[in-house]
């Protein structure tokens, strides 16, 4: 980000929280810090849920975000 070059971290990050104040700039930070540190940050932040789409393919979904999904009938 400082150089203007693309990050080598995840391809995409989606976050959910009770307050938008928790999310300000956090997606971009996770894109820079990478998958593992981003997962740890999401899991360690109260009330924060997220999805990280890794550059090499896998998609990780936090338990907090997974708990918000409702199975369609």
């Amino acid at each position: 980000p400082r150089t203007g070059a693309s990050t080598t971290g995840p391809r995409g990050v989606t976050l959910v929280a009770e307050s938008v104040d928790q999310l300000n700039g956090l997606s971009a930070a996770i894109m820079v810090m990478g998958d593992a540190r981003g997962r740890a940050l999401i899991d360690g932040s109260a009330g924060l849920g997220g999805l990280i789409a890794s550059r090499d393919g896998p998609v990780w979904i936090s338990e907090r975000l997974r708990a918000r999904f409702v199975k369609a009938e």
Side-chain angles (χ1 to χ4, degrees):
R2 182 182 306 166
T3 65
S6 298
T7 68
T8 58
R11 289 193 185 272
V13 175
T14 300
L15 299 172
V16 294
E18 296 301 319
S19 169
V20 72
D21 294 334
Q22 285 182 274
L23 304 177
N24 193 14
L26 204 49
S27 292
I30 292 171
M31 295 283 288
V32 172
M33 66 177 56
D35 295 14
R37 289 179 61 201
R39 288 190 302 267
L41 177 65
I42 292 169
D43 281 341
S45 299
L48 183 63
L51 175 148
I52 298 176
S54 297
R55 189 158 294 282
D56 59 356
V59 174
W60 173 84
I61 303 172
S62 71
E63 288 303 316
R64 286 189 201 103
L65 180 57
R66 194 177 303 272
R68 290 176 175 250
F69 294 140
V70 177
K71 185 177 179 181
E73 294 186 29

